[in-house]
Amino acid sequence: MRTDTGRVRQHNEDAFLTRPERRLFAVADGMGGHAAGEIASELAVRTLDEAALSPRNGSTLARSLADAMWRANRKILEEGGARSGWEGMGTTLIALAFADDGNAALAHVGDSRAYRLREGRLERLTRDHTWVQDQIDAGRLDAETARRHPYASVLSRVLGLEDLDGIDTAVLDVLPGDLHLLCSDGLTTLVPDEVIAAILTSGEPLVTSAESLITEANERGGVDNCTVVLVRPETGPG
Ligand code: CA
C-alpha cells in the first residue's frame, strides 16, 4: 500500500484500509470543502472496518460489503448535515474482500477502481460511476477522449448522496498468482493502463511496484492525491 498527496494538492483526501487478517482491503477518495473530503473518506473506511462481514462465500460477502457501504452513505449524510462546512461531502469507496469458498467480493461506488493482473494481462474489474463513462457506454465518447475530457472527474455516484441509486458488487474467482490493484483516480487519470500493466509485470516486490505507480503519477504531473493497494492472496491448501 502507498498513498501520496501528489505534487499539486496540499491535503490528502484519500483514505485506505488494509486488514490482511480479515482479508479486507479498500480505497476511498473524498471530496468536499474545509477538509470535509478527508472526513468523508475516513468515515467510509472506518464504517467498513467496523462492519461484521459474512465471508461464507463470494455472494454473502458481496452483500455484506454493500450493506456496510449503505451504512457509510447514511453516516456521511448524517455527519455532513450536522456540521457547517461539511454539507455535501462525499467519497468514493472500492472494497475487496476474500471469502471462505476461495472467491473474492468487490463492491464500489465512484471512480476508484479495481484491476486484476492474471497471467501477465491487466483487466479492469470496475466500471466508473462518472458522467464520461455514461457517455462511453452510450457510444457518445471514446475512452481516450473521455480521459482528457473537462468533465472527466464528474461523478454520477458517490457515498454521501440522499438519492444514491446503487452500489455495484461482483463476485470474482481467484487463481494462484492473481494480483489485485485498488486505486484512486489520482493514478488512473494520469497513468494509462498499459503503463500500469508494465509496472505490475516487472516482477518487483509489491511494495516497490506500489512506489513505482505513485512515482509514475507524480512524474506525469501529480495533480491529485494518489493511493494504490496491491493484494496478492496466498492460495493453496489451508
Ligand atoms: Ca481523486
Side-chain angles (χ1 to χ4, degrees):
M1 171 290 307
R2 279 291 179 269
T3 185
D4 190 86
T5 305
R7 296 224 164 137
V8 176
R9 299 206 177 171
Q10 301 296 318
H11 296 279
N12 193 341
E13 298 184 325
D14 287 357
F16 63 88
L17 182 69
T18 53
R19 290 277 181 265
E21 70 286 1
R22 295 185 72 196
R23 297 176 293 170
L24 172 65
F25 305 87
V27 167
D29 176 357
M31 59 221 63
H34 305 98
E38 286 167 72
I39 307 289
S41 58
E42 200 49 53
L43 207 50
V45 297
R46 196 162 3 108
T47 305
L48 192 63
D49 196 20
E50 289 164 359
L53 300 176
S54 310
R56 187 160 49 87
N57 59 51
S59 34
T60 59
L61 187 55
R63 253 196 315 274
S64 63
L65 286 176
D67 288 346
M69 287 170 71
W70 283 111
R71 269 201 304 286
N73 185 58
R74 186 47 48 201
K75 278 193 191 175
I76 292 164
L77 276 167
E78 283 166 9
E79 293 278 327
R83 284 178 223 206
S84 86
W86 287 10
E87 59 279 335
M89 68 181 179
T91 186
T92 73
L93 183 61
I94 171 88
L96 170 70
F98 295 84
D100 297 340
D101 68 351
N103 288 319
L106 265 184
H108 92 285
V109 166
D111 65 350
S112 298
R113 293 181 181 172
Y115 288 85
R116 175 173 63 199
L117 185 79
R118 175 175 284 178
E119 288 165 3
R121 221 174 58 81
L122 188 72
E123 303 163 70
R124 194 167 129 194
L125 303 173
T126 48
R127 176 187 172 278
D128 292 345
H129 298 141
T130 55
W131 179 84
V132 291
Q133 184 63 51
D134 293 345
Q135 303 309 305
I136 293 170
D137 293 349
R140 289 192 285 265
L141 273 184
D142 64 78
E144 196 42 43
T145 316
R147 221 162 65 80
R148 297 160 196 282
H149 199 281
Y151 294 167
S153 60
V154 175
L155 298 176
S156 53
R157 271 191 222 172
V158 290
L159 295 182
L161 285 182
E162 195 61 67
D163 57 352
L164 177 64
D165 59 356
I167 288 163
D168 285 359
T169 60
V171 175
L172 311 170
D173 67 321
V174 180
L175 295 181
D178 281 354
L179 175 61
H180 300 82
L181 163 67
L182 307 182
C183 59
S184 59
D185 71 328
L187 179 71
T188 50
T189 54
L190 294 171
V191 184
D193 287 4
E194 311 83 75
V195 177
I196 295 175
I199 290 170
L200 296 183
T201 50
S202 66
E204 295 171 320
L206 291 190
V207 59
T208 313
S209 296
E211 274 161 14
S212 303
L213 290 170
I214 301 267
T215 302
E216 194 67 42
N218 279 333
E219 282 174 357
R220 289 166 187 260
V223 292
D224 195 0
N225 310 144
C226 184
T227 301
V228 302
V229 170
L230 288 171
V231 188
R232 183 183 282 136
E234 292 166 20
T235 46

